[in-house]
Every structure is written in C-alpha cells, then in structure tokens.
Amino acid sequence: MLSGYDRVLEIFFFLRYFENKVVTLGDNNPFQKESLKLRPIADNDAVVVLEKTPIREDFLAELFRGSKLRLEMKNDIYSSYRLQAPPHLNEIKTTVVCPATEKHVKKYQRQESFLVEETGEDYRSITLPYIQEQSLSLQWVYNILEKKAEADRIVYDDPDPEVGFVLLPDLKWDQKQVDDLYLIAIARQKDIKSLRDLSSEHLPLLQNIFQRGKEAILQRYDLPASKLRVYLHYQPSYYHLHVHFTKLGYDAPGCGVERAHLLSDVIQNLQADPQFYKTRTLSFPLRADDGLLGRFKEAGRL
Amino acid sequence: MLSGYDRVLEIFFFLRYFENKVVTLGDNNPFQKESLKLRPIADNDAVVVLEKTPIREDFLAELFRGSKLRLEMKNDIYSSYRLQAPPHLNEIKTTVVCPATEKHVKKYQRQESFLVEETGEDYRSITLPYIQEQSLSLQWVYNILEKKAEADRIVYDDPDPEVGFVLLPDLKWDQKQVDDLYLIAIARQKDIKSLRDLSSEHLPLLQNIFQRGKEAILQRYDLPASKLRVYLHYQPSYYHLHVHFTKLGYDAPGCGVERAHLLSDVIQNLQADPQFYKTRTLSFPLRADDGLLGRFKEAGRL
C-alpha cells in the first residue's frame, strides 16, 4: 500500500505514462479551475483540482521582466498578447483527494447547464406537474416562519399574514463582512410557488418586502439601498416565494441575468400587466441531471 | 513618433528597465485579473490588463507531463501542491490600451458601484445630455463595420443596412476554448445608442441578430443556442447598439441581472409595448467615479 504522498506522485507518473488516454475530465469548468477524475492506481479514484490563482501585485515587476510576449491582435489603440511567464511566478494551485469516493467525485464534478425557454403553456403542461410530483418538503421553511428553527438568526420579522415576511442571512453568507452580504426574505403567504404564480394582487406583498427589507438592511448593516441587488430566482431552488438581497458588486451565485429577476422589474411588470408572469416566455438554465430538463426534452421543447 | 506596436514593446522594455518603480496598480481585482496603469513613454498613459484564462483540456496531459509539483499541505486524503507549468501551457492573456485617456484608465480600474434607478424622464433630462456631451469616439466600431480593422476576426457579416450586423469575438475572449466564449454583434444601423432608443420598429433587427447570431455560433463553434446567454448591457460601455453572446455557465463580466437584459426578454417587451424602453424605470450600477453618477447626485436622484 502506497502512502498518500506517493500515491499522488504515482498519479502524475501514471499521467506521464498513459498521456491522453487517462485524462477523462469530469468537469467543464471555465472558471480558471478544472477538476478531473482519474483512476490511476489499484482500485482507487482520485480527484485532482487545478486552479489558477489571482495575480500577485508583488510579482508584477519580475513578471514583466522575465516574460515573453506574442502579439495576437491589433486595432487602433487596442492590442492583445499572449504572455509566457516564468513558471515560479505563475503557479497553478493543485488539490488532490486520494483515494476519492464516488461522493468526492460527484462533489467536484460540475454539470453542464442548458437554457430552456418556457412558455406559459409549457409551465402548465410540463413544469407545474413536475413540481407537484416532486412535492419536496418545505418543512424547513415553515420552521423558520414559525420560529422553530434559526429564530436567533432573524434580522427582521413582519408577522402580517398577507404582506409579512421573515428576513435572515442566507446560509452561504458567513456574516463576517458585508462585502458578500446575502440575505433571504421568505414570504409568510404559503401558496406562492414562484414568479409564475405572481399577479397584481401580490403587489402589496412585493412592495412591502422591497421597502422593509431595504430598511432593515440599512439599519442592521448600514448598507443603503443603492448598494443592494434585490431579485427572485426562476427556477427557484425551492417553491415557496422568497427574495434574495445581495451586495451590489458581490458576484453572488445565481445573480446572472439567465436566472435572476430584479424585484423592481417584477413590480413594474405586474403593474403594467397583471398576468405578466402567467403569459411570458421565461428563459432559465437547467443542469444536465435535472429531472425537469428531461421533461422538456421528452416534450420536444429543447 | 512610435507606431502602436513599437509603443507596446516600449512599455515592456520600460518595465524591464525601471522595474518596481513604475508598476502602480490601479486595480485590486481578485478574479484572476489585474489591470495596471503605466505612464511609460512620452506623455501617454497605457493600460495593461493581465488575465489568467481557463485551463485547456487538450493541454492537460502535456501539462502534467511537463510540470513540477511542490507539496504545500497534506491532511488525511487531502493534499495540495503548487504546480509550475511550462510557460507555453499556462499563458496569461495581456491586453494593452495605448495611448490611454483618463476615461480608459478609469474604465479598467475597479471601483465601488451604486445602483441608480433611471426613469424615462431621468434618461432624457440627465443621461442623454451627459452622453451627448461626452461624445466618445466610435471610430473603432466603424473600422470594424467597414472592415478597416479586425476584418480577419469576423465570424459572421450581414451587410443589410437595416437589419445587418457584424459578429466577432470580444477582446476579452482569447478564442482558445469555447468554455469562455464571448462574441459581440455590432448593429450596422448607427443611430441606436442603447436599449433606451429601441422601439418596435427595431424588432426585425433584434430578431435577425438573435437568430443569425445563434446560427453562426452553432456553425463556427458547434455550440447550440441552449448553451448561450444573449443579452444587452444598460448602461452599455459604448453607445452604438451591440449584443453580447456568452457561453452559459461562463461567469462573464457584466452578465449580472443589474446590468444585463436578455435579448429574448427585450424582444418580448417591445412586442408587448412598443415604447417599453422609453417609459420604464431601469436600474443599473454606476461606478463611484462615473461622471453620470455625479449628475444623478446633483439632480437629487440618489
């Protein structure tokens, strides 16, 4: 039995030996990061994560001095180059998990996503039946609303049954700094699954969450509304109406235009057309392993 | 007077010569990207942007074979290393703007942003006059449309004066892998500054860009529409209508809900209301040093 250290060296030796054959990527991650699953030695899997790290300011002068440049393109005052840096100034962070279980492998695998265009009719014939079949438990949401869980984390509570909501930090936020502030407002009304269920009758609720949510964040975190991004997800990750409050400038997961809908736009859209979200075609990404994507494929809608 | 090309070489020569003295960073960007402002030669500023690009799958075997590993940490099944790769397998994308105006320097510096809510009236009384005063040169855009520059980079060209456009890779994309695919469609019509100028008469143009842009990307890059995020920026960084095509899953700069508007939504909005973008309140972030933010402040709109 090899020690962990030798095992890692073995992985690379194995790669060196078999070259193209073994590099079966489990990932397709564009974020300067690749993770790959290898089956290098004996019966054990290994996960190797490669990650390009931020450029260090204190290396810059040395970097320029020691690098080679190759011209790629030139137009007017703009030009671009490929810079080949000395290896020790441009290291790649490498993390190895070995031996890795299936659970490790899955955790590091990134799944491809596909953009789906859902008409109002698609929602009623494909998405809604799928959500109803799944009927995932929302007990954890009710526990928060009823203060049976996370009660000490609540930032603001409006008990009104119609327009009320609970505001609390999202689990992704460690609350150590406001730079990556992330809170969730959970509506007290239980019958609104998502954006698709909203109509003009919900305007008082939405306006209340928007207004009081911003006020509560200003009071608690000294962060004004002009520093906040306030939005809903579609598809949401759970089907009970909730609104995301994140700090502007923080690249929060899920704040991309393909999934997020600014609450200010949602309010205006419903003011202009009470049935806006029942009739519109909405685009959103679904992961390759999402059951809902399968349903869209079966229906010939992808 | 040096040519643009020599000037760039001069910048690096200058850096090589003066070393630590000149590298005054204008940025503090943690996202694998640094931009720096240099005052290298004569009276001209230059902006140099360094960017680490995604790891290429097809280089992986060679990368492992040719790299050195240094152990950093080991704990149970987890270990981490610093990997020193051969320079040609780990290039840094380098973009140079030279000579650079104060505006260019500002554009590349990272600053705090503030969310502005611009009504239709705000646009006419604050934003439009500001854009007109600035009247930044669009010569580089016209160079592309007239094939005086970057002609060899054009991916698709529809010469129709009404609905035509040129599709080409954005400068941010090095075209080495489709994982971070980023193309721009530039409309041939010259009188559309932004989203705010759009009305239902532009639907044929928008639909043509949407349809033919997706087709051209499928043909050239084998990437179907379901892998694309197609959107406009408001505010845009230059006031000539253009549309962004980026790969879904790639966290492209500016694809957040606070600045990006899905083209499919823009088309639906104009179909429902020809004056949608003239009357709506639009939210967008402005950097602390943006002159337009100052105008909103002066007008008491922040």
Side-chain angles (χ1 to χ4, degrees):
Chain A
M1 175 72 185
L2 295 164
S3 77
Y5 183 77
D6 291 335
R7 188 180 295 278
V8 169
L9 292 183
E10 275 288 315
I11 295 170
F12 291 101
F13 177 76
F14 187 78
L15 273 162
R16 217 159 271 152
Y17 190 71
F18 281 92
E19 216 173 312
N20 294 305
K21 237 173 80 190
V22 283
V23 184
T24 51
L25 271 179
D27 200 351
N28 197 11
N29 184 335
F31 301 105
Q32 285 77 35
K33 193 169 163 178
E34 286 286 352
S35 76
L36 49 151
K37 175 194 168 184
L38 310 171
R39 189 178 290 274
I41 30 174
D43 296 325
N44 287 325
D45 282 341
V47 170
V48 180
V49 180
L50 302 177
E51 194 170 351
K52 295 199 182 179
T53 49
I55 292 161
R56 287 181 55 176
E57 293 188 26
D58 51 343
F59 279 1
L60 272 175
E62 205 184 336
L63 184 72
F64 279 111
R65 209 169 52 243
S67 297
K68 279 185 213 160
L69 280 174
R70 301 180 62 174
L71 185 70
E72 284 269 278
M73 189 284 302
K74 179 148 183 53
N75 173 2
D76 194 38
I77 59 171
Y78 304 97
S79 51
S80 69
Y81 298 82
R82 285 147 54 191
L83 184 146
Q84 297 188 347
H88 70 286
L89 299 179
N90 190 22
E91 293 175 334
I92 296 173
K93 187 175 182 307
T94 303
T95 311
V96 176
V97 185
C98 186
T101 64
E102 267 316 292
K103 221 170 152 98
H104 288 113
V105 172
K106 276 206 175 147
K107 178 179 165 186
Y108 286 96
Q109 272 176 337
R110 235 174 88 99
Q111 287 247 337
E112 275 213 300
S113 288
F114 296 86
L115 197 75
V116 169
E117 297 193 333
E118 179 198 74
T119 64
E121 180 47 35
D122 289 336
Y123 173 71
R124 286 179 289 278
S125 65
I126 303 172
T127 309
L128 182 57
Y130 180 78
I131 298 169
Q132 287 167 337
E133 276 170 43
Q134 298 293 306
S135 66
L136 279 174
S137 170
L138 291 169
Q139 193 52 51
W140 68 274
V141 174
Y142 305 149
N143 286 346
I144 290 172
L145 293 176
E146 293 158 21
K147 299 198 179 160
K148 290 178 183 164
E150 304 189 49
D152 54 328
R153 303 176 75 241
I154 290 175
V155 170
Y156 181 80
D157 182 6
D158 179 341
D160 186 282
E162 286 301 312
V163 303
F165 66 98
V166 165
L167 181 72
L168 78 173
D170 188 279
L171 281 184
K172 285 186 281 297
W173 185 35
D174 64 8
Q175 302 180 66
K176 299 272 183 276
Q177 60 286 310
V178 296
D179 290 335
D180 57 347
L181 175 136
Y182 200 142
L183 293 108
I184 298 285
I186 302 176
R188 290 209 165 271
Q189 282 195 50
K190 289 186 179 174
D191 54 347
I192 313 168
K193 285 184 288 303
S194 75
L195 206 55
R196 281 287 189 197
D197 281 340
L198 292 175
S199 64
S200 52
E201 65 182 288
H202 301 109
L203 282 168
L205 166 65
L206 298 173
Q207 283 159 331
N208 190 52
I209 290 177
F210 199 33
Q211 204 48 48
R212 303 243 170 134
K214 292 191 289 191
E215 286 166 10
I217 289 171
L218 176 62
Q219 197 156 359
R220 172 72 73 98
Y221 303 103
D222 201 25
L223 207 64
S226 62
K227 307 297 286 179
L228 292 178
R229 188 198 286 120
V230 187
Y231 54 100
L232 288 79
H233 277 161
Y234 192 74
Q235 300 286 334
S237 53
Y238 50 97
Y239 291 88
H240 175 111
L241 190 77
H242 58 283
V243 175
H244 305 253
F245 289 76
T246 60
K247 181 165 183 296
L248 195 70
Y250 162 50
D251 191 18
C255 76
V257 66
E258 69 274 24
R259 192 172 176 205
H261 297 255
L262 284 184
L263 182 52
S264 58
D265 288 341
V266 172
I267 289 172
Q268 285 187 86
N269 289 336
L270 291 172
Q271 284 169 335
D273 175 4
Q275 299 301 307
F276 190 96
Y277 290 103
K278 305 213 190 283
T279 55
R280 272 312 173 90
T281 294
L282 298 175
S283 299
F284 50 83
L286 287 178
R287 287 165 50 117
D289 63 354
D290 194 312
L292 184 55
L293 186 71
R295 299 293 175 91
F296 271 86
K297 279 181 182 163
E298 283 165 27
R301 293 289 296 117
L302 198 78
Chain B
M1 176 71 183
L2 295 164
S3 76
Y5 184 77
D6 291 335
R7 189 180 293 280
V8 170
L9 293 183
E10 275 287 317
I11 294 169
F12 291 101
F13 177 75
F14 186 80
L15 272 163
R16 216 158 272 150
Y17 190 74
F18 282 92
E19 219 176 309
N20 294 305
K21 239 173 81 190
V22 284
V23 184
T24 50
L25 270 181
D27 202 352
N28 196 15
N29 186 334
F31 301 105
Q32 285 74 37
K33 194 169 162 177
E34 286 288 352
S35 76
L36 48 150
K37 175 193 167 183
L38 310 171
R39 189 178 289 274
I41 31 175
D43 296 326
N44 288 325
D45 281 341
V47 171
V48 179
V49 179
L50 302 178
E51 195 169 351
K52 295 198 182 180
T53 51
I55 292 160
R56 287 179 58 175
E57 293 187 24
D58 51 341
F59 278 3
L60 272 177
E62 203 186 336
L63 183 73
F64 280 111
R65 211 170 52 241
S67 295
K68 280 186 212 160
L69 281 175
R70 302 179 62 172
L71 184 70
E72 283 270 279
M73 186 281 301
K74 176 143 186 54
N75 178 1
D76 193 38
I77 60 169
Y78 304 96
S79 50
S80 69
Y81 298 81
R82 283 149 50 194
L83 183 147
Q84 297 189 347
H88 70 286
L89 299 179
N90 191 20
E91 293 175 335
I92 295 174
K93 187 177 181 312
T94 304
T95 311
V96 176
V97 185
C98 184
T101 64
E102 266 316 292
K103 189 109 192 165
H104 289 112
V105 172
K106 277 192 181 167
K107 178 180 166 182
Y108 287 95
Q109 278 173 335
R110 233 171 94 98
Q111 288 236 344
E112 270 217 301
S113 288
F114 296 86
L115 198 75
V116 169
E117 297 191 334
E118 179 198 76
T119 64
E121 180 48 35
D122 289 336
Y123 173 71
R124 287 178 288 277
S125 65
I126 302 173
T127 308
L128 182 58
Y130 180 78
I131 298 167
Q132 287 167 337
E133 277 170 41
Q134 299 291 307
S135 65
L136 276 175
S137 169
L138 292 169
Q139 192 52 51
W140 68 274
V141 174
Y142 305 147
N143 286 348
I144 291 171
L145 293 176
E146 294 158 21
K147 301 199 179 159
K148 290 180 182 161
E150 304 188 49
D152 55 328
R153 302 177 75 242
I154 290 176
V155 170
Y156 181 80
D157 182 6
D158 179 341
D160 187 281
E162 286 300 313
V163 302
F165 66 99
V166 165
L167 180 73
L168 77 174
D170 188 279
L171 280 184
K172 284 185 279 299
W173 184 35
D174 65 6
Q175 302 180 69
K176 297 283 182 264
Q177 59 288 307
V178 296
D179 292 334
D180 59 344
L181 175 137
Y182 200 142
L183 293 107
I184 297 285
I186 302 177
R188 290 209 165 271
Q189 281 195 50
K190 289 186 179 175
D191 53 347
I192 313 169
K193 285 185 287 302
S194 75
L195 206 57
R196 282 288 191 196
D197 281 341
L198 292 175
S199 63
S200 51
E201 66 182 290
H202 300 109
L203 281 168
L205 167 64
L206 298 173
Q207 282 159 331
N208 190 52
I209 291 176
F210 199 33
Q211 204 48 47
R212 304 242 168 134
K214 292 190 289 191
E215 287 165 9
I217 289 171
L218 176 62
Q219 197 155 0
R220 172 71 73 99
Y221 304 102
D222 200 26
L223 208 65
S226 63
K227 309 297 287 179
L228 293 178
R229 188 198 286 119
V230 187
Y231 54 99
L232 288 81
H233 276 161
Y234 192 74
Q235 302 284 336
S237 55
Y238 52 97
Y239 290 88
H240 175 110
L241 189 76
H242 58 284
V243 176
H244 305 252
F245 289 75
T246 60
K247 182 165 182 297
L248 195 70
Y250 163 50
D251 191 18
C255 76
V257 64
E258 68 273 25
R259 192 173 176 206
H261 298 255
L262 284 184
L263 181 53
S264 57
D265 287 341
V266 171
I267 288 171
Q268 286 188 83
N269 289 335
L270 290 173
Q271 284 169 335
D273 175 4
Q275 301 300 306
F276 190 97
Y277 290 103
K278 306 213 189 283
T279 53
R280 272 310 172 91
T281 295
L282 298 175
S283 299
F284 50 83
L286 286 177
R287 289 156 48 115
D289 63 354
D290 194 313
L292 184 54
L293 185 73
R295 297 293 173 90
F296 272 86
K297 279 182 180 162
E298 283 165 25
R301 294 287 295 117
L302 199 77

